[in-house]
Amino acid sequence: MTSAGDPAERSGDAEVRVVLDRVCKSFVPAGGGERVSALHDASLSVGSGTFLALLGPSGCGKTTLLRLVDGLIQPDSGTVRVFGAPPRPGPDIGFVFQSFRLIPWAKVSRNVDFSLRDLGLTAAEREERTRRVVKMVGLTRFADAYPSALSGGMKQRVALARALAPEPKVLLMDEPFASIDAQTRELMQIELMRIWTRRRPAVLFVTHSVDEAIMLADEIALMGPRPGKVIETLPVDLERPRWTYDARAEPRYVELRQHLSSRMKQFVLNDPASEFFGRDLGQPDATGP
Amino acid sequence: MALLRREFAMLFGVLRPCRRAAVRTASALRNLCKPPASMVIGLYRIGFLAFLMALWQVAATRMGSNVLPSPLATWKAAQTLVGEGQLIVAVGDSLTVYLSGFAIAVIVGVPLGVIMGGFRILGKTLEVYVFALAATPRVAFIPLIIVLLGLGVEAKTFIVFLGALMPILINAYAGVLAADEELLEMARSVGARRGRIFTSIVLPGAVPFVIVGLRIGATIGLINTVVAELYTAVRGLGGLLAIYGNTFRMAEYFVVVLTLAAVGVIVTESLRYIEARVSRWRVI
Ligand SMILES: Nc1ncnc2c1ncn2[C@@H]1O[C@H](COP(=O)(O)OP(=O)(O)OP(=O)(O)O)[C@@H](O)[C@H]1O
Ligand SMILES: [Mg+2]
């Protein structure tokens, strides 16, 4: 049926929710000019119920990859499959965007309800579902507030609620906790794990943070820049839930962390477009005045 | 200042980043002058009014009452004009022309701008002509309008309509085009279809633009009301202006000018009030 190299076959068809096979995508910048290649021959597969972290430096095409998986944009070449078919945006795939993207003139509950409009639910069912999801992210008191009255962390929770409300089978999260303070972030991570454990959607979770990737994910896909591609996929074989014991002290954690951190650092140092290109971080400021 | 900048940004479609920054400064300004501060501002305004009156009085005594009537003479003239009824009749005539012309401009301009924004090809096709028409001084059409519609209410209303239409149409158009790309993509990702995206993201996003257009249209409409009354059958406030101006009855003339100012202030302030109502989500 499919060729032996097909990533879908490797991980067993029925189990796989998301497959990218040698996907290329480039953009013409808005002001015109040369095409930028965002992704080149990127391949990836995410099994059902798997929490996958996409880890990579800025500009390596992580957001582009998520937009491809949601069907918001089409690849130049290669194939994207979600549930075995080219993806179409809709309630089966939830997207938590890098910026919150809340509708500023709609109250919290209406923002959450926005993703339920095309499911064929009755008004009462939608209301009930909205109330439940808003409660789940702890914002019941703010259901009638406008987004401008919320803190960054609260806005992010609204965005999460909106993505979760239709109960998607695939959840795409683009650096959802990047703009949240450390304490709130940890609480949100725990909360996310709780929700994920209960619902078990396949998750593609984009992050810059090595620690966040290791704490949350079943697998980490490491992406490299210019052109963006998936360099390697690593399993995170640490017991869950990882907050109940000190996972950071585990030898496997330390090992993963060292490996990923040094790879990330290399990307930045070897990237001609980076400000740190060619610096020798071993020497105390060799390039200084 | 911030408000002015915002209006210009909207009028010329220098859109999103500018609009965001302007909205932020505007709401910051509004936050700065909340209750206690607004009372102080009110006092300052009354103080400034007193200063203006004093200035007026001084200028009137210097120049003589046949050039510039004193505030008191103006007040007396106002009392007679109101008492004898001609001011009320004139205001009624002018408001009829002004409000019906403006209303038709809203009914035509907003949907047309929205449709032009919604159907990009149509918009691109028509926008050149709209901008050309907007740049032509509309007074240029008055002789033609008189030939076609005569000197009556119809002609006057049409002149007002023509003046108010362009800013209303252009701002509605710009508002639709300025739809937030990120929100549009969010709506698409949720699975919303074109119609719902238009009604739930594009149209509400265009409202602030539309209201700015209404405000500019209301101002131009009032100007055109007076122009129409001067050029066609001399009636209304513009008519009184011509009569008293030509016969050097400066006190009565001043009463008419101040009445026009009052009408303008009332209309634009009502629109500002409506704007504050519909954009309550911005101010918290
Ligand atoms: N719509 C677009 N038009 C033009 N260029 C684009 C577009 N989207 C992405 N790119 C380019 O593609 C590359 C990858 O972008 P992408 O946003 O996917 O990176 P990212 O990994 O999400 O970065 P970050 O971590 O900073 O969010 C970048 O060089 C970017 O400039
Ligand atoms: Mg990104």
Side-chain angles (χ1 to χ4, degrees):
Chain A
M1 244 168 50
T2 40
S3 70
D6 190 329
E9 187 151 287
R10 278 204 306 271
S11 11
D13 263 314
E15 290 294 302
V16 173
R17 288 254 152 102
V18 178
V19 183
L20 282 85
D21 188 19
R22 282 161 288 156
V23 169
C24 299
K25 181 71 191 175
S26 59
F27 293 102
V28 181
E34 244 177 274
R35 255 177 186 283
V36 219
S37 169
L39 284 174
H40 187 78
D41 275 346
S43 299
L44 182 71
S45 75
V46 187
S48 115
T50 302
F51 195 115
L52 178 124
L54 278 168
L55 181 67
S58 191
C60 69
K62 304 181 298 293
T63 300
T64 305
L65 193 147
L66 292 195
R67 294 171 75 212
L68 283 161
V69 172
D70 199 14
L72 290 168
I73 50 175
Q74 302 304 319
D76 299 337
S77 67
T79 52
V80 181
R81 291 276 181 280
V82 177
F83 315 121
R88 296 216 339 194
D92 282 341
I93 311 173
F95 203 140
V96 181
F97 293 93
Q98 203 163 354
S99 46
F100 315 117
R101 304 202 187 181
L102 302 182
I103 302 173
W105 52 83
K107 294 176 176 174
V108 165
S109 53
R110 257 217 318 132
N111 263 288
V112 174
D113 177 65
F114 191 73
S115 62
L116 297 174
R117 292 303 187 93
D118 295 298
L119 290 182
L121 301 173
T122 66
E125 286 169 330
R126 287 208 326 261
E127 200 176 313
E128 153 64 23
R129 177 102 64 109
T130 302
R131 201 173 22 236
R132 192 152 44 82
V133 182
V134 168
K135 184 169 174 222
M136 185 168 75
V137 297
L139 286 176
T140 304
R141 274 197 317 127
F142 293 89
D144 285 328
Y146 288 105
S148 56
L150 305 181
S151 71
M154 288 152 89
K155 284 182 194 166
Q156 191 54 271
R157 276 185 276 165
V158 179
L160 181 63
R162 179 178 60 200
L164 290 172
E167 306 190 343
K169 301 189 192 81
V170 174
L171 184 59
L172 310 173
M173 305 184 77
D174 196 355
E175 295 182 40
F177 306 143
S179 54
I180 298 177
D181 68 276
Q183 273 68 42
T184 316
R185 186 184 311 143
E186 191 159 329
L187 293 175
M188 292 281 297
Q189 288 168 343
I190 295 172
E191 190 57 35
L192 175 66
M193 286 334 293
R194 227 170 42 98
I195 293 165
W196 173 72
T197 316
R198 221 168 343 134
R199 297 257 187 86
R200 279 288 167 152
V203 179
L204 273 80
F205 185 101
V206 166
T207 178
H208 281 130
S209 156
V210 172
D211 285 296
E212 189 171 53
I214 305 176
M215 282 310 265
L216 297 179
D218 297 318
E219 283 174 43
I220 297 175
L222 182 68
M223 293 184 68
R226 269 162 266 276
K229 57 160 58 171
V230 180
I231 310 257
E232 57 182 336
T233 310
L234 304 161
V236 184
D237 28 25
L238 287 165
E239 230 165 283
R240 288 182 188 279
R242 292 172 194 157
W243 272 273
T244 51
Y245 66 106
D246 195 4
R248 290 187 170 91
E250 296 283 310
R252 177 64 182 148
Y253 186 102
V254 177
E255 191 187 327
L256 268 171
R257 187 175 201 294
Q258 257 161 16
H259 173 73
L260 292 169
S261 296
S262 74
R263 291 304 295 268
M264 289 277 280
K265 218 169 280 164
Q266 264 165 27
F267 290 147
V268 178
L269 295 180
N270 296 335
D271 179 357
S274 150
E275 290 177 29
F276 299 94
F277 174 59
R279 274 201 210 175
D280 183 356
L281 293 186
Q283 306 300 333
D285 201 9
T287 55
Chain B
M1 193 52 219
L3 267 175
L4 252 185
R5 252 205 298 144
R6 183 158 130 223
E7 270 164 36
F8 279 128
M10 289 180 175
L11 186 61
F12 295 116
V14 194
L15 299 165
R16 248 195 316 135
C18 207
R19 169 192 172 201
R20 286 229 178 112
V23 167
R24 224 176 299 126
T25 26
S27 76
L29 268 179
R30 239 173 283 154
N31 283 342
L32 275 179
C33 37
K34 278 226 161 120
S38 75
M39 264 179 63
V40 174
I41 293 285
L43 283 177
Y44 285 160
R45 282 180 179 167
I46 291 171
F48 189 68
L49 184 66
F51 169 72
L52 280 182
M53 298 298 266
L55 204 66
W56 183 4
Q57 181 63 55
V58 170
T61 30
R62 282 286 194 83
M63 289 194 238
S65 64
N66 41 9
V67 180
L68 191 64
S70 68
L72 191 65
T74 310
W75 174 243
K76 282 194 178 133
Q79 279 175 323
T80 11
L81 282 184
V82 172
E84 289 170 6
Q86 64 259 59
L87 189 66
I88 309 293
V89 173
V91 168
D93 284 350
S94 291
L95 280 185
T96 310
V97 169
Y98 176 36
L99 293 182
S100 49
F102 180 64
I104 301 171
V106 174
I107 292 167
V108 174
V110 174
L112 205 59
V114 166
I115 291 170
M116 278 174 63
F119 299 93
R120 289 302 256 273
I121 295 175
L122 184 74
K124 281 272 167 222
T125 310
L126 295 184
E127 69 177 26
V128 204
Y129 302 103
V130 169
F131 291 142
L133 190 57
T136 315
R138 256 61 51 76
V139 228
F141 296 110
I142 292 183
L144 179 66
I145 294 169
I146 292 175
V147 171
L148 291 175
L149 294 175
L151 296 169
V153 184
E154 297 84 358
K156 291 189 178 80
T157 307
F158 192 77
I159 293 169
V160 175
F161 162 76
L162 209 57
L165 177 67
M166 288 306 150
I168 293 175
L169 194 161
I170 290 174
N171 275 281
Y173 180 52
V176 171
L177 291 187
D180 188 325
E181 289 295 334
E182 296 202 331
L183 282 185
L184 292 180
E185 191 182 60
M186 181 280 293
R188 253 178 1 101
S189 106
V190 145
R193 272 175 279 278
R194 257 184 77 102
R196 184 155 83 89
I197 293 177
F198 201 74
T199 52
S200 60
I201 305 288
V202 177
L203 286 185
V207 166
F209 286 73
V210 170
I211 288 174
V212 168
L214 294 187
R215 241 159 56 199
I216 300 171
T219 311
I220 297 182
L222 187 58
I223 295 170
N224 278 25
T225 306
V226 176
V227 170
E229 285 168 345
L230 289 174
Y231 272 83
T232 62
V234 176
R235 294 197 61 161
L237 289 170
L240 289 187
L241 219 50
I243 293 166
Y244 298 133
N246 291 340
T247 53
F248 299 103
R249 292 170 65 184
M250 296 323 273
E252 285 83 354
Y253 174 85
F254 255 66
V255 173
V256 180
V257 171
L258 291 177
T259 309
L260 281 168
V263 171
V265 167
I266 290 170
V267 170
T268 46
E269 282 303 308
S270 331
L271 286 169
R272 215 199 289 279
Y273 174 75
I274 295 174
E275 180 182 19
R277 291 287 306 228
V278 283
S279 51
R280 249 178 314 180
W281 50 269
R282 246 195 242 138
V283 203
I284 289 296

